[in-house]
Amino acid sequence: MVSIDDDKRAAAVAAVAEVQDRMLVGLGTGSTAAFAIRALGERVAAGLQIRAVVTSDASGVLARDVGIEVLDFADIARVDLTIDGADEIDSRCFAIKGAGGAMLREKVVAASSARMIVIADRSKRVEQIGAAKLPIEVLPFAGSYVMRVLAGLGAAPEIRCNYRTDQDNLVIDCHFHALEDPRATAAMLAAIPGILGHGLFLDEVAAAYIATDGIVTRLERAGASA
Ligand code: 5RP
């Protein structure tokens, strides 16, 4: 029987096959991204020459552990290819990310990338994003105010308990009753002072590798270049 972890690994290995010599690779965060980091480490051990930037301290530790050279993203303006997980992905290549709390750095690295690929097991593939909680990174100074505004918008906000991001900010997990217009929701969130980022990835994902019972299928955003 193929386990979820087998599928995470299969999707990760398929995506890592896109990495070529001399690329600067963005490394995502979470359990699926960790499979990709390990698979990339194996290719580096076999002679692949790449450098990487990471989206979280945890991914940095793992990447260095497996022999990948990690650069400080603060010095980097452009990344060739980023590989990251997701909490939900739909056929439009719209994704919800951030259960692991790294969505702010993940979005910055994705935005800087010529191509971003999501890797996922079958449980993440949905008809339309919206059932997963939508994580929002918030400046602690603005926590109570942002909670009030989000509650007023019907977002059922919950502060993630005993949790701070790598930047020492709060995460508020939201659940919108329906996410019928994700772009309108993203614009609304971006307009609230104190919100630093959120887990709606509507333009970043160029393609996704999704594994179901050991079979990996590739989903490509309409008009994206491979
Ligand atoms: C972290 C993320 C992760 O990529 C997402 O939560 C998926 O994680 P996992 O692969 O462990 O299910 O967005 O901020």
Side-chain angles (χ1 to χ4, degrees):
M1 199 183 116
V2 179
S3 69
I4 290 285
D5 273 357
D6 291 336
D7 276 345
K8 288 181 182 184
R9 188 182 301 104
V13 167
V16 163
E18 283 201 22
V19 178
Q20 295 170 14
D21 256 335
R22 285 180 290 285
M23 274 187 168
L24 178 55
V25 183
L27 300 175
T29 294
S31 57
T32 318
F35 280 113
I37 295 170
R38 289 193 199 96
L40 194 56
E42 284 171 20
R43 288 196 58 199
V44 166
L48 181 76
Q49 294 194 351
I50 52 115
R51 293 174 306 161
V53 291
V54 292
T55 53
S56 62
D57 297 347
S59 292
V61 170
L62 177 59
R64 288 189 178 93
D65 260 14
V66 299
I68 298 171
E69 182 186 350
V70 176
L71 307 182
D72 183 352
F73 183 75
D75 301 324
I76 302 295
R78 185 163 302 150
V79 170
D80 294 308
L81 174 67
T82 286
I83 301 173
D84 203 348
D87 304 312
E88 283 187 344
I89 174 102
D90 70 19
S91 52
R92 300 167 291 184
C93 282
F94 285 3
I96 289 182
K97 291 182 46 53
M103 60 281 175
L104 179 54
R105 289 192 192 188
E106 289 171 335
K107 193 171 286 181
V108 176
V109 172
S112 79
S113 301
R115 180 170 164 82
M116 180 206 180
I117 312 171
V118 156
I119 48 176
D121 64 80
R122 60 187 177 271
S123 68
K124 310 294 184 58
R125 178 71 166 90
V126 293
E127 206 47 44
Q128 286 208 337
I129 58 164
K133 284 185 177 167
L134 177 62
I136 295 174
E137 181 154 346
V138 177
L139 190 71
F141 178 79
S144 300
Y145 163 69
V146 171
M147 279 294 283
R148 190 195 97 202
V149 174
L150 290 172
L153 292 170
E158 285 172 36
I159 294 194
R160 207 175 281 186
C161 271
N162 300 321
Y163 184 83
R164 289 291 174 115
T165 64
D166 284 350
Q167 300 75 239
D168 213 20
N169 292 314
L170 302 171
V171 171
I172 298 180
D173 290 304
C174 290
H175 195 263
F176 290 91
H177 182 59
L179 201 54
E180 265 151 28
D181 187 349
R183 287 196 188 281
T185 302
M188 184 181 75
L189 294 174
I192 300 172
I195 291 185
L196 303 170
H198 57 75
L200 276 174
F201 282 55
L202 306 179
D203 296 303
E204 293 80 4
V205 183
Y209 288 91
I210 297 160
T212 306
D213 295 330
I215 311 259
V216 180
T217 49
R218 190 165 108 166
L219 187 68
E220 199 77 32
R221 178 185 289 265
S225 56

